[in-house]
Structure formats: C-alpha cells, structure tokens
C-alpha cells in the first residue's frame, strides 16, 4: 500500500519508510503529485488541522494519506502557544523568536506554573473519506533558559517529566522514545499492523 504524507520533506518520508521497513507500505511525499494546492492550517485544534491536511491529500492524490500537526501547550498561558506554536511570535517567525517570546511571557512564573506538554495528532484518511486520528502527548516543564543544541522549536527549554535534561540535550533516539510524535506514531503503527 502507498501512503502519501502531507509534506514535501523527503527526510520525513525516508524516516517513515525506515520505521515501517519490512511492512508492505511505502510512504510517498507530495513531490510525486505535482500541482497539489497549499492548504491553510486554520483549525482551532491539532486534530482539525491534521484532518484537514490529510483529507485534502487523500482527495487530490486518491491514495491513503497521513498528516500530522503538533505543538506546545502551557496551561498557565491558557494552553498557548498551542496550534500557533510555529508562529507564536508572528507570521513567519523563527524558532528562536518563538522560544524567546515564550521565555519572556513566562518570566517570573514559579516552578508550579511552568508545566507544559507537547501534543501531536496524526490523521490517516482514505480516499473514500474514512479516517482515524492518533494523539500522542509528553508532559514536562519549561525551563528559564535554553539548554542544548539538538532538535528544533521549543526543545531547548522543554524538560520531559522525570528528566533533568531538555529535549535539545538528548539524541534523536532518546527524544523519539519519549516524544509526543513517537507516541502518536506508535498508535498509528499498532492500528496499521495489529
Ligand atoms: P509541526 O506541526 O510539526 O510543524 O509543529 C509546529 C510547531 O510546534 C513547530 O514549529 C515547533 O515550534 C513546535 N513543535 C512541534 N513539535 C516539536 C518538538 O518536538 N520540539 C520542539 N518544538 C516542537
């Protein structure tokens, strides 16, 4: 079975093909389907954004499609940055700017108010419209300054629960074993290969 990922990022497809190696599945990117229109991520939830993207891809390509949406939620900021994680400091903002804004917004917050979680929702949609979504979470806390150089986004300030290192201080395999994305992917894999 071919599954089209809602991305043109070939590294993402290579990673998925590695994870699912040995199963009768091949992940393709949108590069194989020229003319695919841009889909605006204007949903209020990770699930609605993931479903919107996967539906659009399944409809355009007439293949099963997989899309994800993820971000960071901080309860003491009313769950911001949430679905706006990639543009918290404004449209087109860099990871660095978003992270700085988060630290600024949380300046003076006591330890008890620094809880946070990463959320990832994956949507799997068939061309006939049938769909299934899988959510993964990792809880932790936001530090007061950046630590570590690995990863991306808010990794340098996120300490997963029970660890005193940030995601940016971990190698990819350690992060994957704890992360929201890793956990959503595990649920997807159990669904596709019960
Ligand atoms: P996307 O939906 O995977 O593109 O993620 C949206 C935004 O959420 C990213 O630009 C990051 O700011 C943030 N984010 C999502 N996952 C992670 C993660 O694993 N580490 C750090 N930041 C993340």
């Amino acid at each position: 079975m071919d599954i089209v990922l809602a991305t043109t990022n070939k590294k993402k497809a290579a990673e998925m093909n590695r994870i699912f190696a040995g199963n009768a599945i091949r992940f393709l990117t949108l590069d194989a389907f020229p003319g695919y229109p841009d889909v605006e991520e204007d949903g209020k939830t990770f699930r609605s954004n993931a479903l919107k993207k996967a539906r659009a891809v399944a409809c355009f390509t007439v293949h099963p499609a997989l899309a994800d949406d993820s971000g960071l939620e901080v309860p003491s900021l009313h769950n911001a940055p949430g679905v706006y994680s990639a543009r918290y400091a404004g449209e087109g903002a860099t990871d660095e700017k978003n992270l700085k804004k988060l630290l600024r917004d949380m300046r003076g917050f006591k330890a008890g108010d620094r809880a946070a979680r990463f959320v990832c929702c994956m949507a799997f949609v068939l061309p006939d419209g049938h769909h299934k979504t899988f959510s993964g979470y990792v809880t932790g806390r936001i530090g007061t300054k950046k630590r570590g150089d690995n990863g991306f986004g808010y990794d340098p300030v996120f300490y997963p629960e029970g660890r005193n290192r940030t995601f940016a201080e971990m190698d990819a395999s350690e992060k994957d074993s704890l992360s929201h994305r890793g956990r959503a992917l595990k649920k997807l894999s159990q669904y596709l290969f019960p």
Side-chain angles (χ1 to χ4, degrees), residues 36 82 97 106 111 115 119 137 152 157 160 165 182:
Y36 178 74
K97 284 205 165 145
M106 294 182 71
V119 182
Y137 307 90
F152 69 102
V157 293
R165 282 171 305 132

Side-chain angles (χ1 to χ4, degrees), residues 12 41 46 53 68-72 82-87 95 98 118-119 151-156 167 175 179-181:
K12 280 197 180 175
E41 290 188 32
F46 297 111
K53 287 187 276 183
D68 69 355
D69 195 39
S70 61
L72 180 73
V83 289
Y84 304 104
S85 291
R87 47 195 152 120
D95 281 358
N98 289 329
F118 275 120
V119 182
F152 69 102
Y154 301 94
D155 280 348
F167 267 170
K175 180 185 165 186
S179 84
H180 48 313
R181 200 167 293 103

Side-chain angles (χ1 to χ4, degrees), residues 21-32:
N23 297 299
I25 277 195
R26 183 174 58 154
F27 288 94
L28 307 174
T29 69
L30 284 170
D31 283 335

